[in-house]
Amino acid sequence: MVSRTIPVDPFDLIIIGGTGDLARRKILPALFRRFVAGQMGKGSQVIGAARTEMDTPAYRQMVSDAIAEFGGPEKKDKANLKKFLATVCYITLDARGTAGWEELGETVHSENIRAFYFSVGPGLFGDLAKRLHKYGMSDDRCRIVVEKPFGHDLASARELNAVLAKHFDESQIYRIDHYLGKETVQNLMAVRFGNMLFEPLWNSQYVDHIQITVSESVGVGGRGGYYDKSGAMRDMMQNHLMQLFCLIAMEPPAKFDPDSVRDEKLKVIRALDPLAPENIVRGQYEATETKPSYRKQVGNRDSTTESFVALKANISNWRWAGTPFYLRTGKRLRERASEIAVVFKDAPHSIFGEDAGRHRNILTIKLQPNEGIVLGVTIKEPGPGGMRLIDVPLDMTFAEALGPEQAGFPDAYERLIMDVIRGNQTLFMRGDEVEAAWAWTDPIIAAFGEQDPPLPYATGSSGPDEALALIHRDGRAWREIKA
Ligand code: NAP
C-alpha cells in the first residue's frame, strides 16, 4: 500500500514563540517532515517570531539544530534540509509591543493561507489577536492555532474565548490537542463507524466498563513551577483524557465534519454526572534513592497538587447509563503507556463449563509509545487436549499488511498543522467544548481544598493503593500499565 500525500495550497506558517521549546521539539521538525513529503508547495514559507534579537541566518541555524536533535530519519536528507531552510525566515517581534509587527505584515504573502501558531503562554493570546487585527492580518485567509493550557478554569477559558472572538471567527480558531492528531484516534472512529460489527455492541448492554490510562514514567522535570499550579487534573484530565473520553462515548455523528463531530462530543460532556468525592483519588509521587519526590521537585514542601489522579465517571444517557468509565493519569508511574480499553461483558452463559475460566473481549486502543488497535478474542488452544480456551490478540492496525510506508505516516503535529492549512477543524476543540469540560472539572478541583491531601505513591508503581481500590470495590481491576 502506498501512502498518499494530499497537496495543500501554498501557505505561510508563522510561529510566534519560534525560538521556544515547543517550536524546536515539535513544530519545526513536523514542518520539515511535511516538506520532505512534498506537502509544502512552492511559495510556502515558515516565519519564526519572538523577542530575541536574531537574524534569519542565525534562526535557520537554530532550526537546523532543532531538526538534527528532534527530527526523525528524514533529518539525514541534507538536500531537502537546505531547500526547507531557504523557506524559513525570522522576525524579531514583541507580542506586547510594536516591534516587528509592520515587518511581519510586509513579509507574509497576502495571497497565501496564513496560519499563526501561538506557541507562547496563554497570557499573550489576547495581545497577539489584537495586533494581528490591528496590522491587517486577521482576514479570512488567516487562522490562529492555540496551544494548551486553554485557561485554568471556566472563567479564564471564557475570557480567552471572548478575547479571541473579538478579532476572529470561531472558524478561524484551532485549539490544538495533539492526542486528537494521532493516527489511532482517527482509526478508532473508522473502526467504530466504518464497521457494522462494533456499533451495535457499543453501549451499556454489552460494554461492562471502559478504562482510559495516560501514564508517564517521568516526573515534572523542569516544569515544576508551572505544574504545581496546575496538577494532573488540569494538565491532563480536563483536556487530553476528556477528549479521548468524548470520542469513545459519543453518538455517531451524522457526518464526519467538524461541527457534527464536535456537537456529539459536547453532548457527552454535558451528560456527565457530577463527580462524587468517593469517585476520585489523587496522589503525589515519592522519592527514590536517586530521584527527588514531587514536593522536592516543585520546590514546595507543603504542596497539595496532585501528580496522579484516578476517577470513575458516569454518563447519564441511554447509551451509557450503568457503564462506568475509569480514567487515570499520572507521572512517575510504571511505564509510559497510554491506552483506552473497552471491556465487554461476559458471555451470558459458558457452554464450556467452569473449567474453561473467564474470558472477555477487550478492545484496546493503544496511543503511546506505540499506536495500535487490538481486539482480544477467545479461541480454542490449538492441538489435542480437549476444549481449552485462550485469549489471543487480533491486531486491527494491520501494520504488516499495510507495509513499511506506515513508518512514513505523519505524526500528530504534522497532521494537525496540515489540517489547519486545509481548514479542517474536526480534530480541534471548539470553544464551547472547552468551556463544558471546565464546567465539569471546576467543582471537582474546587472540592480538593476540603479533601485529604494527595496520597503518596511509589515511583514506578501504578499510583496509590486507593486508586486500585476505586475500581476493585466494583469487582473490576485496572489493566496493567504496559507499553
Ligand atoms: P518556551 O520554551 O518558554 O517558549 C516561549 C516562546 O515565546 C519563546 O520563543 C519566547 O521567545 C516567546 N515569547 C515570550 N514572550 C514573548 C513576547 N512578548 N513576544 C513574542 N514572543 C514571546 O515555551 P514552550 O514550551 O515553547 O511553550 C509554548 C506554549 O505551548 C505554552 O503555552 C505551553 O504551555 C504550550 N505547550 C508546550 C508544550 C511543550 O512541549 N513545550 C506542550 C504543550 C503545550 P523570546 O523570549 O525570545 O521572546
Side-chain angles (χ1 to χ4, degrees), residues 11 97 118 152 370 377 387:
F11 63 88
F118 290 6
H152 59 269
N370 302 313
V377 290
M387 201 57 163

Side-chain angles (χ1 to χ4, degrees), residues 206-226:
Y206 296 101
V207 177
D208 179 72
H209 72 280
I210 292 178
Q211 297 186 17
I212 304 179
T213 298
V214 176
S215 157
E216 295 174 278
S217 55
V218 294
V220 294
R223 292 172 71 222
Y226 157 77

